[in-house]
Amino acid sequence: MPLKKVLVTGASGQDGFYLINLLHRQGCVVHAQSRRLPHPSRRQDETCWHVGDPADRDFLDSLVSSVMPDEIYNLAAISRPILSWGLPRETADVNGLVPQDLCELLLRHKPGCRLFQASSSEIFEDGADRIQNEQTPCVPKSPYGVAKLYAHRIIGAYRAQYGLHASTGIMFNHESPRRPLSFVSQKIAYAAAAVSLGLTETSETDERGRPILLDGKMALGDLSVRRDFGFAGDYVEAMRLIVQHRTADDYVIGTGEDHSIEEFCDRAFGLVGRRWTEHVSSDPSLFRRVDSHYTRADTAKIRSILNWQPKVAFDELVAMMVKAQIDFIERRTLSRLQPDASHRRVEN
Ligand code: NDP
């Protein structure tokens, strides 16, 4: 049987990394799109990289028509809701219209190609204390969520209208050592690692331009926010299962557990033998006016139809991230030259 040709957009990001590794393990020929060629250390062997902007219609057309993939995983997106407020038009274009363009291109070039769209729990109304599933009302609160909801609905519409095998995964937060430092989970892992190595001040800065750790302390926003945190490596397995299934559909992907930011701090600092309360404070000026305060996935559908369940538990995930940050800081200290890492700016 000929090898499956798979195209991954937004492939340089966290999920792209894990997905490409999985696809190679499963014997696929992998084509990856990014707006710039990733650093060689972040590029997996045997992946064919295509450099261009997915929002450029001509580029996307020639990408699909030249690769003629059997499967597409559309991961490209402005992936931080808070960033989308500064880039509302670009967010609408990339997060909302590119998925629609992909449907059109499949109709034109390869209707049999299967499509996975990275949808998000940010399309839902705030959970309050309710668990969220495929039937939860959609009330997105940011340009990110609104654009993701457009994509989510348009994929469903093309599936119904044209019979495309186009599916969505409504994904809840998933983290990994590959998560950018701008996300709160990685910021906590980084601060715990820095404290464990005796640092009291870091060169990495937050959205206010202040070191993440200053005088041994880190300021975060609302610590009571509760999220469903999973491991990215597990979520890409769910993506792949969704696409392999006979019929296309929408699936919530999450762990079914929720943990507060405070708990994340507690686990991360506890791992390095510290009390989080001595190093983390909650700064009301960092509270977000519009944010999801509670997310927890009801994963009954994906568990029963696709037999998927996450393998990495919350404690394991936090430990994996803290350990990776300790390794990162130690490597950097040893080499004493990390020009691109030493000025990473971080937004909460
Ligand atoms: P990342 O931010 O790590 O990766 C997204 C990729 O999209 C980037 O590598 C980037 O590639 C590309 N991208 C960013 N901005 C633009 C832009 N303006 N135009 C075109 N491409 C752009 O995200 P993740 O890997 O974590 O997430 C993958 C997908 O899953 C995203 O669609 C995200 O919204 C969605 N998702 C993720 C969740 C999570 O918790 N991780 C939760 C729910 C949904 P490059 O700069 O190289 O072009």
PDB file of all heavy atoms in Angstrom, residues 10-16 33-36 53-55 74-79 90 94 118-121 144 148 171-175 179-180, ligand 1:
ATOM      1  N   GLY A  10       1.075  25.079  10.322  1.00  0.00           N
ATOM      2  CA  GLY A  10       1.461  25.543  11.663  1.00  0.00           C
ATOM      3  C   GLY A  10       2.345  24.515  12.335  1.00  0.00           C
ATOM      4  O   GLY A  10       2.311  24.322  13.547  1.00  0.00           O
ATOM      5  N   ALA A  11       3.190  23.853  11.501  1.00  0.00           N
ATOM      6  CA  ALA A  11       3.916  22.661  11.961  1.00  0.00           C
ATOM      7  C   ALA A  11       5.086  22.979  12.880  1.00  0.00           C
ATOM      8  O   ALA A  11       5.610  22.081  13.533  1.00  0.00           O
ATOM      9  CB  ALA A  11       4.409  21.876  10.752  1.00  0.00           C
ATOM     10  N   SER A  12       5.483  24.239  12.947  1.00  0.00           N
ATOM     11  CA  SER A  12       6.647  24.575  13.790  1.00  0.00           C
ATOM     12  C   SER A  12       6.266  24.724  15.254  1.00  0.00           C
ATOM     13  O   SER A  12       7.123  24.899  16.105  1.00  0.00           O
ATOM     14  CB  SER A  12       7.266  25.888  13.309  1.00  0.00           C
ATOM     15  OG  SER A  12       6.368  26.949  13.611  1.00  0.00           O
ATOM     16  N   GLY A  13       4.976  24.684  15.553  1.00  0.00           N
ATOM     17  CA  GLY A  13       4.525  24.923  16.927  1.00  0.00           C
ATOM     18  C   GLY A  13       4.599  23.674  17.789  1.00  0.00           C
ATOM     19  O   GLY A  13       5.118  22.630  17.394  1.00  0.00           O
ATOM     20  N   GLN A  14       4.054  23.808  19.005  1.00  0.00           N
ATOM     21  CA  GLN A  14       4.078  22.700  19.969  1.00  0.00           C
ATOM     22  C   GLN A  14       3.440  21.434  19.398  1.00  0.00           C
ATOM     23  O   GLN A  14       4.047  20.368  19.341  1.00  0.00           O
ATOM     24  CB  GLN A  14       3.319  23.104  21.239  1.00  0.00           C
ATOM     25  CG  GLN A  14       3.075  21.943  22.179  1.00  0.00           C
ATOM     26  CD  GLN A  14       2.191  22.306  23.358  1.00  0.00           C
ATOM     27  OE1 GLN A  14       2.693  22.599  24.417  1.00  0.00           O
ATOM     28  NE2 GLN A  14       0.869  22.279  23.182  1.00  0.00           N
ATOM     29  N   ASP A  15       2.197  21.538  18.946  1.00  0.00           N
ATOM     30  CA  ASP A  15       1.486  20.338  18.497  1.00  0.00           C
ATOM     31  C   ASP A  15       2.117  19.781  17.227  1.00  0.00           C
ATOM     32  O   ASP A  15       2.140  18.562  17.017  1.00  0.00           O
ATOM     33  CB  ASP A  15       0.006  20.657  18.233  1.00  0.00           C
ATOM     34  CG  ASP A  15      -0.750  20.950  19.516  1.00  0.00           C
ATOM     35  OD1 ASP A  15      -0.111  21.000  20.584  1.00  0.00           O
ATOM     36  OD2 ASP A  15      -1.981  21.132  19.449  1.00  0.00           O
ATOM     37  N   GLY A  16       2.595  20.682  16.375  1.00  0.00           N
ATOM     38  CA  GLY A  16       3.238  20.247  15.133  1.00  0.00           C
ATOM     39  C   GLY A  16       4.404  19.313  15.434  1.00  0.00           C
ATOM     40  O   GLY A  16       4.580  18.286  14.780  1.00  0.00           O
ATOM     41  N   GLN A  33       4.131  22.856   6.866  1.00  0.00           N
ATOM     42  CA  GLN A  33       4.097  24.281   6.467  1.00  0.00           C
ATOM     43  C   GLN A  33       4.466  25.144   7.661  1.00  0.00           C
ATOM     44  O   GLN A  33       4.040  24.927   8.790  1.00  0.00           O
ATOM     45  CB  GLN A  33       2.689  24.646   5.960  1.00  0.00           C
ATOM     46  CG  GLN A  33       2.488  26.127   5.671  1.00  0.00           C
ATOM     47  CD  GLN A  33       2.160  26.947   6.929  1.00  0.00           C
ATOM     48  OE1 GLN A  33       1.556  26.423   7.860  1.00  0.00           O
ATOM     49  NE2 GLN A  33       2.597  28.199   6.952  1.00  0.00           N
ATOM     50  N   SER A  34       5.273  26.172   7.364  1.00  0.00           N
ATOM     51  CA  SER A  34       5.577  27.188   8.369  1.00  0.00           C
ATOM     52  C   SER A  34       5.860  28.492   7.605  1.00  0.00           C
ATOM     53  O   SER A  34       6.210  28.455   6.430  1.00  0.00           O
ATOM     54  CB  SER A  34       6.812  26.773   9.171  1.00  0.00           C
ATOM     55  OG  SER A  34       7.256  27.844   9.961  1.00  0.00           O
ATOM     56  N   ARG A  35       5.719  29.609   8.303  1.00  0.00           N
ATOM     57  CA  ARG A  35       6.034  30.864   7.611  1.00  0.00           C
ATOM     58  C   ARG A  35       7.531  31.097   7.524  1.00  0.00           C
ATOM     59  O   ARG A  35       7.984  31.952   6.791  1.00  0.00           O
ATOM     60  CB  ARG A  35       5.339  32.049   8.294  1.00  0.00           C
ATOM     61  CG  ARG A  35       3.831  32.043   8.066  1.00  0.00           C
ATOM     62  CD  ARG A  35       3.165  33.025   8.953  1.00  0.00           C
ATOM     63  NE  ARG A  35       3.467  32.713  10.337  1.00  0.00           N
ATOM     64  CZ  ARG A  35       3.338  33.557  11.355  1.00  0.00           C
ATOM     65  NH1 ARG A  35       2.911  34.775  11.141  1.00  0.00           N
ATOM     66  NH2 ARG A  35       3.632  33.177  12.592  1.00  0.00           N
ATOM     67  N   ARG A  36       8.289  30.367   8.313  1.00  0.00           N
ATOM     68  CA  ARG A  36       9.747  30.427   8.192  1.00  0.00           C
ATOM     69  C   ARG A  36      10.310  29.053   8.517  1.00  0.00           C
ATOM     70  O   ARG A  36       9.707  28.304   9.287  1.00  0.00           O
ATOM     71  CB  ARG A  36      10.350  31.495   9.103  1.00  0.00           C
ATOM     72  CG  ARG A  36      10.025  31.338  10.560  1.00  0.00           C
ATOM     73  CD  ARG A  36      10.367  32.583  11.345  1.00  0.00           C
ATOM     74  NE  ARG A  36       9.362  33.606  11.178  1.00  0.00           N
ATOM     75  CZ  ARG A  36       8.209  33.639  11.884  1.00  0.00           C
ATOM     76  NH1 ARG A  36       7.953  32.705  12.771  1.00  0.00           N
ATOM     77  NH2 ARG A  36       7.321  34.586  11.702  1.00  0.00           N
ATOM     78  N   ASP A  53       2.955  31.656   3.852  1.00  0.00           N
ATOM     79  CA  ASP A  53       1.888  32.070   4.761  1.00  0.00           C
ATOM     80  C   ASP A  53       0.567  31.408   4.348  1.00  0.00           C
ATOM     81  O   ASP A  53       0.115  31.603   3.213  1.00  0.00           O
ATOM     82  CB  ASP A  53       1.762  33.605   4.678  1.00  0.00           C
ATOM     83  CG  ASP A  53       0.797  34.149   5.718  1.00  0.00           C
ATOM     84  OD1 ASP A  53       0.003  33.368   6.275  1.00  0.00           O
ATOM     85  OD2 ASP A  53       0.848  35.369   5.951  1.00  0.00           O
ATOM     86  N   PRO A  54      -0.073  30.659   5.244  1.00  0.00           N
ATOM     87  CA  PRO A  54      -1.318  29.990   4.849  1.00  0.00           C
ATOM     88  C   PRO A  54      -2.442  30.971   4.516  1.00  0.00           C
ATOM     89  O   PRO A  54      -3.396  30.607   3.823  1.00  0.00           O
ATOM     90  CB  PRO A  54      -1.679  29.146   6.078  1.00  0.00           C
ATOM     91  CG  PRO A  54      -0.952  29.771   7.215  1.00  0.00           C
ATOM     92  CD  PRO A  54       0.287  30.384   6.648  1.00  0.00           C
ATOM     93  N   ALA A  55      -2.305  32.211   5.013  1.00  0.00           N
ATOM     94  CA  ALA A  55      -3.341  33.203   4.690  1.00  0.00           C
ATOM     95  C   ALA A  55      -3.140  33.780   3.290  1.00  0.00           C
ATOM     96  O   ALA A  55      -3.994  34.519   2.797  1.00  0.00           O
ATOM     97  CB  ALA A  55      -3.325  34.322   5.734  1.00  0.00           C
ATOM     98  N   ASN A  74      -4.794  21.006  10.176  1.00  0.00           N
ATOM     99  CA  ASN A  74      -4.643  22.462  10.160  1.00  0.00           C
ATOM    100  C   ASN A  74      -4.427  22.989  11.575  1.00  0.00           C
ATOM    101  O   ASN A  74      -5.380  23.209  12.325  1.00  0.00           O
ATOM    102  CB  ASN A  74      -5.875  23.119   9.533  1.00  0.00           C
ATOM    103  CG  ASN A  74      -5.689  24.630   9.461  1.00  0.00           C
ATOM    104  OD1 ASN A  74      -4.588  25.111   9.151  1.00  0.00           O
ATOM    105  ND2 ASN A  74      -6.721  25.374   9.774  1.00  0.00           N
ATOM    106  N   LEU A  75      -3.157  23.194  11.898  1.00  0.00           N
ATOM    107  CA  LEU A  75      -2.794  23.668  13.243  1.00  0.00           C
ATOM    108  C   LEU A  75      -2.433  25.152  13.233  1.00  0.00           C
ATOM    109  O   LEU A  75      -2.302  25.767  14.287  1.00  0.00           O
ATOM    110  CB  LEU A  75      -1.595  22.870  13.777  1.00  0.00           C
ATOM    111  CG  LEU A  75      -1.695  21.348  13.751  1.00  0.00           C
ATOM    112  CD1 LEU A  75      -0.430  20.728  14.350  1.00  0.00           C
ATOM    113  CD2 LEU A  75      -2.917  20.874  14.522  1.00  0.00           C
ATOM    114  N   ALA A  76      -2.238  25.719  12.046  1.00  0.00           N
ATOM    115  CA  ALA A  76      -1.797  27.119  11.977  1.00  0.00           C
ATOM    116  C   ALA A  76      -2.844  28.031  12.601  1.00  0.00           C
ATOM    117  O   ALA A  76      -4.027  27.941  12.290  1.00  0.00           O
ATOM    118  CB  ALA A  76      -1.560  27.516  10.522  1.00  0.00           C
ATOM    119  N   ALA A  77      -2.398  28.876  13.501  1.00  0.00           N
ATOM    120  CA  ALA A  77      -3.320  29.816  14.138  1.00  0.00           C
ATOM    121  C   ALA A  77      -2.546  30.800  14.993  1.00  0.00           C
ATOM    122  O   ALA A  77      -1.448  30.489  15.464  1.00  0.00           O
ATOM    123  CB  ALA A  77      -4.316  29.074  15.040  1.00  0.00           C
ATOM    124  N   ILE A  78      -3.120  31.957  15.176  1.00  0.00           N
ATOM    125  CA  ILE A  78      -2.691  32.812  16.283  1.00  0.00           C
ATOM    126  C   ILE A  78      -3.273  32.100  17.496  1.00  0.00           C
ATOM    127  O   ILE A  78      -4.497  32.025  17.642  1.00  0.00           O
ATOM    128  CB  ILE A  78      -3.230  34.233  16.090  1.00  0.00           C
ATOM    129  CG1 ILE A  78      -2.467  34.866  14.923  1.00  0.00           C
ATOM    130  CG2 ILE A  78      -3.115  35.042  17.374  1.00  0.00           C
ATOM    131  CD1 ILE A  78      -2.949  36.193  14.485  1.00  0.00           C
ATOM    132  N   SER A  79      -2.407  31.516  18.324  1.00  0.00           N
ATOM    133  CA  SER A  79      -2.905  30.508  19.256  1.00  0.00           C
ATOM    134  C   SER A  79      -3.124  31.027  20.673  1.00  0.00           C
ATOM    135  O   SER A  79      -3.471  30.249  21.550  1.00  0.00           O
ATOM    136  CB  SER A  79      -1.956  29.302  19.273  1.00  0.00           C
ATOM    137  OG  SER A  79      -0.698  29.705  19.760  1.00  0.00           O
ATOM    138  N   GLU A  90      -6.087  39.788  11.511  1.00  0.00           N
ATOM    139  CA  GLU A  90      -5.223  38.656  11.153  1.00  0.00           C
ATOM    140  C   GLU A  90      -5.773  37.367  11.791  1.00  0.00           C
ATOM    141  O   GLU A  90      -5.749  36.291  11.183  1.00  0.00           O
ATOM    142  CB  GLU A  90      -3.812  38.949  11.680  1.00  0.00           C
ATOM    143  CG  GLU A  90      -2.749  38.056  11.088  1.00  0.00           C
ATOM    144  CD  GLU A  90      -1.342  38.500  11.520  1.00  0.00           C
ATOM    145  OE1 GLU A  90      -1.135  39.702  11.801  1.00  0.00           O
ATOM    146  OE2 GLU A  90      -0.470  37.619  11.582  1.00  0.00           O
ATOM    147  N   VAL A  94      -6.532  34.085   9.676  1.00  0.00           N
ATOM    148  CA  VAL A  94      -5.778  32.824   9.845  1.00  0.00           C
ATOM    149  C   VAL A  94      -6.629  31.771  10.560  1.00  0.00           C
ATOM    150  O   VAL A  94      -6.717  30.624  10.135  1.00  0.00           O
ATOM    151  CB  VAL A  94      -4.472  33.062  10.652  1.00  0.00           C
ATOM    152  CG1 VAL A  94      -3.693  31.769  10.795  1.00  0.00           C
ATOM    153  CG2 VAL A  94      -3.632  34.119   9.972  1.00  0.00           C
ATOM    154  N   ALA A 118      -7.985  22.196  14.094  1.00  0.00           N
ATOM    155  CA  ALA A 118      -7.713  22.395  15.525  1.00  0.00           C
ATOM    156  C   ALA A 118      -8.690  23.418  16.081  1.00  0.00           C
ATOM    157  O   ALA A 118      -8.483  24.620  15.986  1.00  0.00           O
ATOM    158  CB  ALA A 118      -6.275  22.858  15.732  1.00  0.00           C
ATOM    159  N   SER A 119      -9.773  22.906  16.642  1.00  0.00           N
ATOM    160  CA  SER A 119     -10.763  23.772  17.268  1.00  0.00           C
ATOM    161  C   SER A 119     -10.384  23.923  18.744  1.00  0.00           C
ATOM    162  O   SER A 119      -9.418  23.309  19.207  1.00  0.00           O
ATOM    163  CB  SER A 119     -12.142  23.132  17.089  1.00  0.00           C
ATOM    164  OG  SER A 119     -13.149  24.069  17.335  1.00  0.00           O
ATOM    165  N   SER A 120     -11.140  24.736  19.480  1.00  0.00           N
ATOM    166  CA  SER A 120     -10.692  25.085  20.829  1.00  0.00           C
ATOM    167  C   SER A 120     -11.855  25.196  21.804  1.00  0.00           C
ATOM    168  O   SER A 120     -12.958  25.625  21.435  1.00  0.00           O
ATOM    169  CB  SER A 120      -9.965  26.427  20.753  1.00  0.00           C
ATOM    170  OG  SER A 120      -9.853  27.011  22.020  1.00  0.00           O
ATOM    171  N   SER A 121     -11.581  24.884  23.068  1.00  0.00           N
ATOM    172  CA  SER A 121     -12.599  25.058  24.104  1.00  0.00           C
ATOM    173  C   SER A 121     -12.942  26.532  24.300  1.00  0.00           C
ATOM    174  O   SER A 121     -13.926  26.845  24.969  1.00  0.00           O
ATOM    175  CB  SER A 121     -12.109  24.462  25.426  1.00  0.00           C
ATOM    176  OG  SER A 121     -10.901  25.108  25.808  1.00  0.00           O
ATOM    177  N   TYR A 144      -9.963  35.424  19.088  1.00  0.00           N
ATOM    178  CA  TYR A 144      -9.484  34.044  18.901  1.00  0.00           C
ATOM    179  C   TYR A 144     -10.663  33.068  18.906  1.00  0.00           C
ATOM    180  O   TYR A 144     -10.835  32.261  17.989  1.00  0.00           O
ATOM    181  CB  TYR A 144      -8.510  33.689  20.036  1.00  0.00           C
ATOM    182  CG  TYR A 144      -8.095  32.232  20.068  1.00  0.00           C
ATOM    183  CD1 TYR A 144      -6.987  31.785  19.360  1.00  0.00           C
ATOM    184  CD2 TYR A 144      -8.811  31.298  20.824  1.00  0.00           C
ATOM    185  CE1 TYR A 144      -6.605  30.444  19.396  1.00  0.00           C
ATOM    186  CE2 TYR A 144      -8.431  29.961  20.861  1.00  0.00           C
ATOM    187  CZ  TYR A 144      -7.325  29.540  20.146  1.00  0.00           C
ATOM    188  OH  TYR A 144      -6.951  28.212  20.181  1.00  0.00           O
ATOM    189  N   LYS A 148     -12.223  30.924  15.816  1.00  0.00           N
ATOM    190  CA  LYS A 148     -12.203  29.459  15.906  1.00  0.00           C
ATOM    191  C   LYS A 148     -13.624  28.896  15.775  1.00  0.00           C
ATOM    192  O   LYS A 148     -13.822  27.822  15.224  1.00  0.00           O
ATOM    193  CB  LYS A 148     -11.594  29.023  17.248  1.00  0.00           C
ATOM    194  CG  LYS A 148     -10.077  29.120  17.310  1.00  0.00           C
ATOM    195  CD  LYS A 148      -9.407  27.945  16.611  1.00  0.00           C
ATOM    196  CE  LYS A 148      -7.894  27.992  16.725  1.00  0.00           C
ATOM    197  NZ  LYS A 148      -7.205  26.992  15.903  1.00  0.00           N
ATOM    198  N   MET A 171     -10.221  21.246  21.394  1.00  0.00           N
ATOM    199  CA  MET A 171      -9.169  20.898  22.350  1.00  0.00           C
ATOM    200  C   MET A 171      -9.145  21.845  23.541  1.00  0.00           C
ATOM    201  O   MET A 171      -9.253  23.056  23.402  1.00  0.00           O
ATOM    202  CB  MET A 171      -7.823  20.900  21.630  1.00  0.00           C
ATOM    203  CG  MET A 171      -7.775  19.852  20.527  1.00  0.00           C
ATOM    204  SD  MET A 171      -6.139  19.629  19.856  1.00  0.00           S
ATOM    205  CE  MET A 171      -5.984  21.075  18.826  1.00  0.00           C
ATOM    206  N   PHE A 172      -8.957  21.247  24.723  1.00  0.00           N
ATOM    207  CA  PHE A 172      -8.750  22.005  25.943  1.00  0.00           C
ATOM    208  C   PHE A 172      -7.243  22.214  26.092  1.00  0.00           C
ATOM    209  O   PHE A 172      -6.463  21.666  25.321  1.00  0.00           O
ATOM    210  CB  PHE A 172      -9.371  21.246  27.125  1.00  0.00           C
ATOM    211  CG  PHE A 172     -10.889  21.331  27.122  1.00  0.00           C
ATOM    212  CD1 PHE A 172     -11.633  20.832  26.064  1.00  0.00           C
ATOM    213  CD2 PHE A 172     -11.565  21.953  28.161  1.00  0.00           C
ATOM    214  CE1 PHE A 172     -13.023  20.938  26.042  1.00  0.00           C
ATOM    215  CE2 PHE A 172     -12.955  22.055  28.163  1.00  0.00           C
ATOM    216  CZ  PHE A 172     -13.683  21.552  27.095  1.00  0.00           C
ATOM    217  N   ASN A 173      -6.848  23.028  27.083  1.00  0.00           N
ATOM    218  CA  ASN A 173      -5.414  23.356  27.233  1.00  0.00           C
ATOM    219  C   ASN A 173      -4.543  22.109  27.195  1.00  0.00           C
ATOM    220  O   ASN A 173      -4.819  21.143  27.921  1.00  0.00           O
ATOM    221  CB  ASN A 173      -5.149  24.016  28.585  1.00  0.00           C
ATOM    222  CG  ASN A 173      -5.517  25.467  28.580  1.00  0.00           C
ATOM    223  OD1 ASN A 173      -6.697  25.798  28.521  1.00  0.00           O
ATOM    224  ND2 ASN A 173      -4.528  26.325  28.616  1.00  0.00           N
ATOM    225  N   HIS A 174      -3.525  22.142  26.366  1.00  0.00           N
ATOM    226  CA  HIS A 174      -2.538  21.068  26.444  1.00  0.00           C
ATOM    227  C   HIS A 174      -1.148  21.678  26.374  1.00  0.00           C
ATOM    228  O   HIS A 174      -0.885  22.610  25.637  1.00  0.00           O
ATOM    229  CB  HIS A 174      -2.768  19.985  25.394  1.00  0.00           C
ATOM    230  CG  HIS A 174      -3.030  20.487  24.019  1.00  0.00           C
ATOM    231  ND1 HIS A 174      -4.238  20.997  23.618  1.00  0.00           N
ATOM    232  CD2 HIS A 174      -2.224  20.551  22.940  1.00  0.00           C
ATOM    233  CE1 HIS A 174      -4.172  21.345  22.341  1.00  0.00           C
ATOM    234  NE2 HIS A 174      -2.961  21.094  21.912  1.00  0.00           N
ATOM    235  N   GLU A 175      -0.294  21.117  27.199  1.00  0.00           N
ATOM    236  CA  GLU A 175       1.010  21.700  27.491  1.00  0.00           C
ATOM    237  C   GLU A 175       2.089  20.669  27.212  1.00  0.00           C
ATOM    238  O   GLU A 175       1.803  19.499  26.984  1.00  0.00           O
ATOM    239  CB  GLU A 175       1.088  22.104  28.972  1.00  0.00           C
ATOM    240  CG  GLU A 175      -0.185  22.654  29.576  1.00  0.00           C
ATOM    241  CD  GLU A 175      -0.555  24.005  29.017  1.00  0.00           C
ATOM    242  OE1 GLU A 175       0.358  24.824  28.813  1.00  0.00           O
ATOM    243  OE2 GLU A 175      -1.756  24.254  28.787  1.00  0.00           O
ATOM    244  N   ARG A 179       5.898  24.053  25.052  1.00  0.00           N
ATOM    245  CA  ARG A 179       5.002  25.193  25.185  1.00  0.00           C
ATOM    246  C   ARG A 179       5.845  26.465  25.267  1.00  0.00           C
ATOM    247  O   ARG A 179       6.819  26.510  26.044  1.00  0.00           O
ATOM    248  CB  ARG A 179       4.201  25.005  26.478  1.00  0.00           C
ATOM    249  CG  ARG A 179       2.982  25.874  26.622  1.00  0.00           C
ATOM    250  CD  ARG A 179       1.929  25.593  25.629  1.00  0.00           C
ATOM    251  NE  ARG A 179       0.597  25.722  26.204  1.00  0.00           N
ATOM    252  CZ  ARG A 179      -0.477  25.988  25.481  1.00  0.00           C
ATOM    253  NH1 ARG A 179      -0.402  26.140  24.174  1.00  0.00           N
ATOM    254  NH2 ARG A 179      -1.663  26.066  26.058  1.00  0.00           N
ATOM    255  N   PRO A 180       5.489  27.523  24.518  1.00  0.00           N
ATOM    256  CA  PRO A 180       6.256  28.761  24.644  1.00  0.00           C
ATOM    257  C   PRO A 180       6.180  29.327  26.068  1.00  0.00           C
ATOM    258  O   PRO A 180       5.202  29.104  26.785  1.00  0.00           O
ATOM    259  CB  PRO A 180       5.569  29.698  23.652  1.00  0.00           C
ATOM    260  CG  PRO A 180       4.854  28.803  22.700  1.00  0.00           C
ATOM    261  CD  PRO A 180       4.460  27.590  23.485  1.00  0.00           C
TER     262      PRO A 180
HETATM  263  P1  NDP B   1       1.519  27.090  18.521  1.00  0.00           P
HETATM  264  O1  NDP B   1       1.329  28.533  18.754  1.00  0.00           O
HETATM  265  O2  NDP B   1       2.651  26.399  19.212  1.00  0.00           O
HETATM  266  O3  NDP B   1       1.641  26.812  16.943  1.00  0.00           O
HETATM  267  C1  NDP B   1       0.800  27.432  16.025  1.00  0.00           C
HETATM  268  C2  NDP B   1       1.525  27.672  14.734  1.00  0.00           C
HETATM  269  O4  NDP B   1       0.712  28.529  13.910  1.00  0.00           O
HETATM  270  C3  NDP B   1       2.838  28.400  14.929  1.00  0.00           C
HETATM  271  O5  NDP B   1       3.894  27.491  14.985  1.00  0.00           O
HETATM  272  C4  NDP B   1       2.942  29.341  13.744  1.00  0.00           C
HETATM  273  O6  NDP B   1       3.863  28.820  12.793  1.00  0.00           O
HETATM  274  C5  NDP B   1       1.542  29.364  13.136  1.00  0.00           C
HETATM  275  N1  NDP B   1       1.067  30.745  13.179  1.00  0.00           N
HETATM  276  C6  NDP B   1       1.055  31.586  14.242  1.00  0.00           C
HETATM  277  N2  NDP B   1       0.588  32.804  13.880  1.00  0.00           N
HETATM  278  C7  NDP B   1       0.309  32.711  12.564  1.00  0.00           C
HETATM  279  C8  NDP B   1      -0.172  33.652  11.605  1.00  0.00           C
HETATM  280  N3  NDP B   1      -0.457  34.905  11.948  1.00  0.00           N
HETATM  281  N4  NDP B   1      -0.322  33.238  10.341  1.00  0.00           N
HETATM  282  C9  NDP B   1      -0.029  31.962   9.995  1.00  0.00           C
HETATM  283  N5  NDP B   1       0.446  31.039  10.843  1.00  0.00           N
HETATM  284  C10 NDP B   1       0.614  31.414  12.122  1.00  0.00           C
HETATM  285  O7  NDP B   1       0.144  26.375  18.885  1.00  0.00           O
HETATM  286  P2  NDP B   1      -0.121  24.882  19.359  1.00  0.00           P
HETATM  287  O8  NDP B   1       0.780  23.971  18.635  1.00  0.00           O
HETATM  288  O9  NDP B   1      -0.150  24.864  20.830  1.00  0.00           O
HETATM  289  O10 NDP B   1      -1.620  24.677  18.864  1.00  0.00           O
HETATM  290  C11 NDP B   1      -1.925  24.090  17.599  1.00  0.00           C
HETATM  291  C12 NDP B   1      -3.346  24.445  17.228  1.00  0.00           C
HETATM  292  O11 NDP B   1      -4.237  23.957  18.237  1.00  0.00           O
HETATM  293  C13 NDP B   1      -3.631  25.934  17.107  1.00  0.00           C
HETATM  294  O12 NDP B   1      -4.540  26.114  16.058  1.00  0.00           O
HETATM  295  C14 NDP B   1      -4.281  26.282  18.421  1.00  0.00           C
HETATM  296  O13 NDP B   1      -5.138  27.398  18.320  1.00  0.00           O
HETATM  297  C15 NDP B   1      -5.056  25.010  18.696  1.00  0.00           C
HETATM  298  N6  NDP B   1      -5.321  24.805  20.099  1.00  0.00           N
HETATM  299  C16 NDP B   1      -4.274  24.672  20.973  1.00  0.00           C
HETATM  300  C17 NDP B   1      -4.516  24.498  22.310  1.00  0.00           C
HETATM  301  C18 NDP B   1      -3.378  24.342  23.283  1.00  0.00           C
HETATM  302  O14 NDP B   1      -3.638  24.343  24.496  1.00  0.00           O
HETATM  303  N7  NDP B   1      -2.140  24.176  22.829  1.00  0.00           N
HETATM  304  C19 NDP B   1      -5.888  24.433  22.847  1.00  0.00           C
HETATM  305  C20 NDP B   1      -6.904  24.553  21.827  1.00  0.00           C
HETATM  306  C21 NDP B   1      -6.630  24.731  20.521  1.00  0.00           C
HETATM  307  P3  NDP B   1       4.950  29.743  12.049  1.00  0.00           P
HETATM  308  O15 NDP B   1       5.179  30.975  12.900  1.00  0.00           O
HETATM  309  O16 NDP B   1       6.154  28.867  11.977  1.00  0.00           O
HETATM  310  O17 NDP B   1       4.374  30.034  10.730  1.00  0.00           O
END
